[in-house]
Amino acid sequence: MKKKLLALIITICVPFLLIAQQTLIKGSVKDAATFEPIPGVSISIESTQQSTVTNVKGLFLFSENIPLGEQVLKIEKAGYITKRYPIVVQANQTVNIQDMTMDIDVSDSADLFVIALSDDELNDDTSASDNISGLLQSSQDVFQRTAAFEFSTSFFKVRGLDSENGTILINGLEMNKLFNGRPQWSNWGGLNDVLRNQELTTGLTPSNYAFGGILGTTNINTRASSYRRGGRLTYSSSNRSYTHRVMATYASGLVKGDWAYAISIGRRWGNEGYQDATFYDANSIFASVEKKINDKHSLNFTTIYAPNRRGKSSPNTQEVYDLKDIKYNEYWGYHDGEKRNSRIKEVVEPILMLNHYWDISGKTKLNTNIGYQFGKLGNSRLDYSGGANPSPTYYQLLPSYALADPDGPDYATAYQLEQNFLDNGQIDWNRIYDANLTNNITGTPNAYVLYEDRSDDKQLTVNTILSSEISENILLNANINYKNLKSENFAEIMDLLGGSGYLNVDGFDNFQFDLQNPDRIVGEGGKIRYNYNLLANIISGYAQALFKYNKIDFYLSGSLSTTTYQREGLWQHERYQDNSLGKGEKLTFNGFGTKGGFTYKITGKHLLDINAGYITKAPSLRNTYSNARENDAVVRGIQEEKISSVDASYIFRSPIIKARLTAFYTTIKDANEISFYYADGISNYEIENNDSFFVQEILNGIDKKHLGTEIDIEAQVTPTIKLKGVASLGQYTYNNNPNVYLTSSSFTNENGIDFGPSTLKNYKIAGGPQKAYSFGFEYRDPDYWWVGATANFFTNTYVDISPLTRTRNFYLDSDGLPFNDYDPEIARQLLKQERFDDYMVVNLIGGKSWKINDYYIGFFASVNNLLDKAYKTGGYEQGRNANYQQLKDDASNDTPVFSPKYWYSRGATYFANVYFRF
């Protein structure tokens, strides 16, 4: 009996003895003010790759591969001040640090930086405005944060890459749009307080949620139990995108019955932003509710509703800017004494998602998600098929047109045009209404109509994400995803502008848009011009293994995907009777990706990090169909894009200085780009006349090369003063001569005209400065006031070149022979890519906060572009002068008629914010 009792005691005690002999680090984190547990805090052991996060009770545990000796625990979470705790780890001992506290970051400068991104830049339809800043907001890396917050207003792109190369997730569900691959930032705009819980990986480094792109992955966590209990009220004022902003947010934390909820409402509005007539009207509603079923299962429901409308601003030629100023916007005019903008962007796309969290064991978790997004995206504009071009900057209304008269400069007319533009220079709404009212009297359809280009999407996304610790050294991540999209695309009449109805016929080529309903007169709310659906299905998955050891960490990751696209035409276009109505060919693209990398810890302070990857992916819907509005023609020879990327970094980390030096090299092959514009000077026998043509330019088989160096250093020189320096030295060029062909309903060949290679190799890729530098400091006083300043320098910014102008169409006459007066040296000067002037931008930021009992009151403000510097942030060559003779004649004028169109920076702007936390 004694032997059995002894055996029983040994059986019970051995596990505890074994645990006692383990080396452990455990503890808890609490809010310094409320002393309540803080979930979702990132805990890391500095100079290692060891990290974990606190659970809903604020607890954490390290139990494997723990380094011995003196170590530093780093605890950080958005909205709190990062802290470091020194510890001493001894073999087979437990380090137990209970009730570590975190103070709220009263400066809360991240809120300021989010506003600095300015929604109109992030949402603009032009590639020049495509901005990856939103991908980087949550980064703790000084380079990434500088790129997001200091460089964003210059349209800087990290490594010269568009935002489609990064992946945005909310609760593990991808939010990048299938149409163009980019996130629609405004879908969750104005909800800063509830979108701070983010996990970011940059470049090719591995993510726990997705394979990601070569710019990295950001996962926004809206799980209700992860929010700090309490509320916040905010008021902001600015002269950038909007004038006013109010927000109210409250989170319950985990309450009785194991429920948690978080809600946020906000509004942003203004009659006019920095540019003329750029009104802003946006509301935001967020709700997240979680039920903790038991210790293993939780359900969370999130809804985001952020409808927004804003007036858009125009790019302009230098002639227009010189006559007006950089605030000038051609899209508006006075109507009934009010500024009325003809170009309005409206986005109403609610998001619903249900998330199931299953802790299968202490080492294995399964997260299953269902998301549904629906709604509308609309961009309004004027149609003038029965009247004169209403644009006040139409080339025949500007002085340069009269000065370029073939019979010699007409100074009198030029002066008259100049004075008229200076005195008026905006859309004449009264003339538009008069023209329609006159037509109405005579029984003639509208000369003008205001309509909206619409994309009404319905997308279902389902995925499941597995995370499992296979052993003490190996972590496995995997997921499988399914997406289904139906995108309804059409134009809809918003306002008849005093008329009786719109004739649904092409006013230039006289083709029926809807042949089965010819000569149809359409009223307000009716569909015109085009009507079709885009259908897409994507199945994808990835698997990833991370290996962690004392001296080296490395990972391997692979992904597979199958993408199908199909166009369904709802109308029969008269010009494309055989391939416009009904479902077109179903297209299938197969993609795969592989990447790997390692971090070698030379010492605790010196690290070497190398990553490499190869990805093939389906082209976006936008770049698959040459002109989906009229037919189902597919880009010739279309295939998957191929991306190769490698980077290598040396990292230095000490308690005072953090520094990184990175070299990167990326190639993109077999990409496609489609543009729409009016072209003059096209020489080909397949064209029916010699007037201007509205064309679709398809540039396919594009190869690009991105290489460069990134440098960042941050030094905490005193407990209150921090210095930082960042540099990005890039060279982003076209790496081949891709093929160009045009399609147009004006051509006799409905399949389009092939113009052969466009000699783009070694031309610079447009899209912000290719070299950028930032130097700054930050002072944080123990009395809770702080100030910072940065000086930012930008160089090597280029205009976006016209591919058609660099094909054989440039030098060949209509007979197929070179122009008689063609001079290669003059041609070289005409085709030289414009480089914009270098510039410097100085930004200031500062604030103060007060703690009154358990409440916080704070204020901060910033001034961007303190020196009020006007500089070009982007631009593109117009395609109107497509041949040598026309371009040479135009360039010989003091003010070319068809010079490039540019975007200018804002001048000096401010943002001020006051908040109350409880």
Side-chain angles (χ1 to χ4, degrees):
M1 183 67 182
K2 291 183 179 180
K3 290 182 179 180
K4 291 181 179 181
L5 181 61
L6 181 60
L8 178 60
I9 293 172
I10 293 173
T11 303
I12 294 172
C13 293
V14 162
F16 294 97
L17 293 172
L18 291 175
I19 291 174
Q21 293 174 356
Q22 272 189 282
T23 304
L24 302 174
I25 301 175
K26 65 179 183 179
S28 64
V29 182
K30 293 186 177 180
D31 187 291
T34 65
F35 216 62
E36 291 193 353
I38 308 177
V41 178
S42 174
I43 315 290
S44 60
I45 305 174
E46 289 196 345
S47 302
T48 76
Q49 296 297 304
Q50 294 267 44
S51 64
T52 187
V53 294
T54 57
N55 62 18
V56 293
K57 296 181 180 179
L59 302 175
F60 69 92
L61 173 68
F62 291 98
S63 60
E64 299 169 351
N65 296 324
I66 298 174
L68 303 179
E70 295 183 357
Q71 305 295 332
V72 176
L73 280 186
K74 180 180 179 182
I75 63 174
E76 54 188 341
K77 183 176 181 176
Y80 289 89
I81 297 174
T82 298
K83 286 190 175 182
R84 291 172 172 83
Y85 287 83
I87 59 174
V88 178
V89 182
Q90 297 180 356
N92 300 322
Q93 298 293 319
T94 297
V95 178
N96 191 355
I97 310 178
Q98 295 295 323
D99 299 337
M100 291 188 293
T101 60
M102 297 190 75
D103 296 296
I104 293 174
D105 186 355
V106 291
S107 67
D108 207 15
S109 56
D111 187 64
L112 170 63
F113 295 142
V114 173
I115 190 67
L117 302 179
S118 69
D119 297 67
D120 55 347
E121 292 164 7
L122 294 175
N123 294 332
D124 205 285
D125 303 312
T126 60
S127 61
S129 296
D130 177 53
N131 198 306
I132 51 80
S133 303
L135 296 169
L136 310 174
Q137 295 170 24
S138 63
S139 176
Q140 298 298 318
D141 178 83
V142 63
F143 180 90
Q144 305 292 344
R145 290 181 65 82
T146 299
F149 307 141
E150 303 291 348
F151 295 166
S152 63
T153 54
S154 293
F155 300 133
F156 173 83
K157 298 180 180 180
V158 172
R159 302 183 182 181
L161 298 168
D162 294 334
S163 61
E164 66 187 87
N165 292 289
T167 303
I168 288 285
L169 311 170
I170 297 181
N171 295 341
L173 292 171
E174 184 174 350
M175 304 308 296
N176 296 56
K177 288 289 188 179
L178 293 181
F179 178 70
N180 58 17
R182 300 171 182 171
Q184 181 66 263
W185 308 102
S186 59
N187 283 159
W188 50 86
L191 295 169
N192 304 5
D193 289 343
V194 289
L195 300 180
R196 299 179 190 277
N197 295 335
Q198 300 183 16
E199 294 180 53
L200 171 72
T201 62
T202 58
L204 290 168
T205 52
S207 165
N208 293 332
Y209 304 95
F211 184 82
I214 56 175
L215 271 180
T217 303
T218 298
N219 182 60
I220 301 171
N221 178 13
T222 66
R223 191 172 178 178
S225 63
S226 67
Y227 294 100
R228 178 184 63 87
R229 186 170 70 88
R232 170 175 166 141
L233 302 174
T234 302
Y235 171 76
S236 308
S237 176
S238 177
N239 66 338
R240 296 173 187 169
S241 301
Y242 47 79
T243 308
H244 307 282
R245 181 186 70 168
V246 293
M247 292 192 304
T249 301
Y250 183 77
S252 68
L254 204 59
V255 296
K256 186 177 179 180
D258 287 333
W259 286 89
Y261 64 88
I263 56 175
S264 183
I265 57 174
R267 174 161 172 75
R268 295 161 292 159
W269 75 99
N271 292 329
E272 192 168 59
Y274 187 83
Q275 277 82 17
D276 296 336
T278 52
F279 77 89
Y280 206 101
D281 184 11
N283 298 302
S284 307
I285 301 174
F286 168 93
S288 179
V289 179
E290 181 178 357
K291 169 61 177 175
K292 185 179 178 183
I293 300 171
N294 53 42
D295 289 340
K296 291 184 176 293
H297 297 274
S298 288
L299 281 176
N300 194 93
F301 175 76
T302 298
T303 181
I304 299 173
Y305 179 57
N308 62 89
R309 296 174 69 247
R310 64 177 181 86
K312 298 170 70 171
S313 60
S314 62
N316 303 298
T317 62
Q318 192 59 50
E319 176 186 15
V320 170
Y321 284 121
D322 291 341
L323 290 171
K324 295 287 190 175
D325 56 36
I326 62 172
K327 293 185 177 182
Y328 175 75
N329 178 15
E330 70 158 285
Y331 295 151
W332 70 275
Y334 281 104
H335 182 221
D336 291 337
E338 301 284 339
K339 289 182 177 180
R340 183 178 182 181
N341 196 321
S342 65
R343 300 284 186 98
I344 295 172
K345 181 168 186 175
E346 183 173 13
V347 181
V348 184
E349 295 185 310
I351 301 170
L352 306 172
M353 57 179 61
L354 181 66
N355 313 101
H356 174 240
Y357 301 92
W358 181 15
D359 293 342
I360 299 173
S361 69
K363 296 185 177 182
T364 302
K365 298 180 180 180
L366 188 68
N367 177 203
T368 302
N369 312 290
I370 300 175
Y372 184 66
Q373 186 173 16
F374 60 97
K376 60 168 280 189
L377 187 155
N379 288 278
S380 69
R381 63 177 61 231
L382 285 167
D383 180 276
Y384 52 95
S385 57
N389 191 326
S391 169
T393 62
Y394 182 57
Y395 72 97
Q396 295 183 14
L397 301 178
L398 295 174
S400 58
Y401 179 72
L403 296 175
D405 193 312
D407 298 326
D410 185 346
Y411 293 106
T413 301
Y415 177 78
Q416 188 178 28
L417 291 172
E418 178 184 79
Q419 293 305 304
N420 185 60
F421 185 72
L422 289 173
D423 294 339
N424 301 302
Q426 303 299 153
I427 291 175
D428 190 342
W429 288 104
N430 291 332
R431 182 173 65 84
I432 289 173
Y433 273 85
D434 287 343
N436 282 342
L437 289 170
T438 300
N439 284 12
N440 195 17
I441 293 172
T442 61
T444 306
N446 278 38
Y448 300 90
V449 69
L450 184 69
Y451 75 94
E452 186 177 44
D453 289 312
R454 286 276 294 277
S455 294
D456 290 10
D457 289 357
K458 297 180 179 68
Q459 180 172 311
L460 173 69
T461 306
V462 181
N463 77 359
T464 188
I465 305 170
L466 175 71
S467 177
S468 180
E469 293 183 37
I470 302 300
S471 71
E472 63 180 19
N473 302 111
I474 303 173
L475 175 65
L476 174 68
N477 299 116
N479 77 11
I480 186 167
N481 307 274
Y482 172 73
K483 288 184 182 180
N484 175 270
L485 170 70
K486 180 180 181 181
S487 178
E488 301 174 7
N489 297 266
F490 53 90
E492 181 179 279
I493 294 178
M494 301 179 69
D495 193 335
L496 287 174
L497 305 174
S500 59
Y502 172 89
L503 179 62
N504 195 31
V505 174
D506 188 326
F508 296 96
D509 295 317
N510 207 34
F511 289 123
Q512 297 284 342
F513 291 124
D514 183 7
L515 186 59
Q516 296 185 344
N517 296 281
D519 298 324
R520 183 166 59 94
I521 303 298
V522 185
E524 288 183 8
K527 296 179 181 179
I528 61 172
R529 302 181 65 87
Y530 60 92
N531 189 9
Y532 67 95
N533 297 328
L534 290 175
L535 311 173
N537 281 281
I538 300 177
I539 299 175
S540 63
Y542 97 111
Q544 176 176 274
L546 294 88
F547 304 84
K548 295 186 177 183
Y549 299 95
N550 289 334
K551 292 291 290 183
I552 189 169
D553 300 332
F554 63 96
Y555 70 94
L556 296 170
S557 184
S559 69
L560 293 172
S561 66
T562 297
T563 302
T564 60
Y565 296 150
Q566 191 172 33
R567 178 190 181 274
E568 180 184 22
L570 303 180
W571 286 354
Q572 185 177 33
H573 193 286
E574 184 177 6
R575 183 67 179 86
Y576 304 100
Q577 297 184 29
D578 296 332
N579 64 337
S580 55
L581 181 64
K583 290 187 176 181
E585 175 189 3
K586 184 175 287 188
L587 307 174
T588 300
F589 302 95
N590 296 310
F592 75 92
T594 181
K595 64 180 181 180
F598 68 87
T599 301
Y600 179 69
K601 290 159 273 190
I602 303 169
T603 68
K605 295 182 178 180
H606 304 272
L607 295 89
L608 181 64
D609 185 75
I610 295 177
N611 303 277
Y614 179 77
I615 301 170
T616 70
K617 65 176 185 177
S620 66
L621 274 168
R622 185 186 192 280
N623 291 324
T624 297
Y625 295 96
S626 58
N627 186 13
R629 291 183 176 181
E630 295 182 348
N631 57 62
D632 59 18
V634 178
V635 171
R636 299 174 187 174
I638 193 166
Q639 56 184 303
E640 294 84 358
E641 294 183 16
K642 303 167 184 65
I643 303 173
S644 302
S645 187
V646 62
D647 62 66
S649 300
Y650 164 72
I651 302 168
F652 175 80
R653 297 188 304 198
S654 75
I656 296 176
I657 296 176
K658 295 181 180 61
R660 178 176 63 91
L661 172 64
T662 298
F664 63 87
Y665 180 83
T666 298
T667 62
I668 300 173
K669 296 184 177 181
D670 296 322
N672 305 302
E673 293 178 2
I674 300 175
S675 305
F676 302 83
Y677 59 88
Y678 284 97
D680 290 335
I682 299 177
S683 302
N684 195 287
Y685 69 92
E686 294 180 292
I687 298 175
E688 294 179 343
N689 54 62
N690 293 316
D691 295 329
S692 297
F693 311 106
F694 185 74
V695 301
Q696 298 82 48
E697 177 190 83
I698 298 92
L699 186 65
N700 64 325
I702 308 168
D703 293 353
K704 301 177 182 180
K705 180 170 64 177
H706 301 247
L707 60 90
T709 301
E710 298 167 348
I711 304 169
D712 63 70
I713 184 168
E714 187 176 44
Q716 191 74 51
V717 293
T718 74
T720 57
I721 297 177
K722 182 187 291 184
L723 303 179
K724 70 171 185 177
V726 166
S728 176
L729 310 173
Q731 181 175 293
Y732 318 129
T733 58
Y734 291 99
N735 204 32
N736 73 332
N737 297 322
N739 195 74
V740 172
Y741 72 94
L742 304 183
T743 63
S744 174
S745 57
S746 300
F747 297 167
T748 57
N749 185 348
E750 69 176 40
N751 294 319
I753 302 172
D754 194 331
F755 289 91
S758 179
T759 55
L760 300 186
K761 187 171 184 178
N762 296 325
Y763 274 100
K764 302 296 192 296
I765 297 170
Q770 299 201 0
K771 295 182 180 179
Y773 313 84
S774 179
F775 305 93
F777 80 92
E778 180 182 285
Y779 174 80
R780 288 180 179 264
D781 193 87
D783 289 332
Y784 298 109
W785 65 268
W786 53 279
V787 65
T790 56
N792 306 288
F793 304 85
F794 303 94
T795 70
N796 293 62
T797 308
Y798 297 90
V799 76
D800 196 1
I801 57 176
S802 168
L804 178 61
T805 310
R806 289 157 179 85
T807 65
R808 61 173 178 254
N809 182 80
F810 180 71
Y811 61 87
L812 294 183
D813 208 338
S814 57
D815 58 6
L817 298 175
F819 291 108
N820 293 329
D821 60 346
Y822 185 79
D823 185 324
E825 185 57 37
I826 294 176
R828 199 163 15 254
Q829 291 301 313
L830 292 173
L831 297 178
K832 184 178 180 181
Q833 188 174 17
E834 179 186 357
R835 173 179 162 176
F836 301 156
D837 292 338
D838 303 340
Y839 56 93
M840 179 180 76
V841 177
V842 176
N843 300 327
L844 295 181
I845 181 174
K848 168 69 176 170
S849 65
W850 299 265
K851 183 180 179 184
I852 304 172
N853 297 323
D854 292 333
Y855 304 104
Y856 294 87
I857 299 174
F859 168 82
F860 62 82
S862 78
V863 177
N864 273 29
N865 196 4
L866 178 68
L867 304 180
D868 200 26
K869 177 72 174 177
Y871 54 89
K872 296 173 183 173
T873 58
Y876 60 92
E877 295 177 350
Q878 296 194 66
R880 298 297 291 257
N881 293 319
N883 67 40
Y884 170 78
Q885 287 186 338
Q886 289 189 343
L887 187 58
K888 184 184 71 170
D889 292 344
D890 197 21
S892 67
N893 300 315
D894 291 336
T895 304
V897 178
F898 296 114
S899 62
K901 289 195 171 185
Y902 305 110
W903 287 273
Y904 267 83
S905 67
R906 296 182 175 95
T909 60
Y910 78 91
F911 173 74
N913 185 85
V914 61
Y915 63 87
F916 172 69
R917 271 181 163 170
F918 57 93

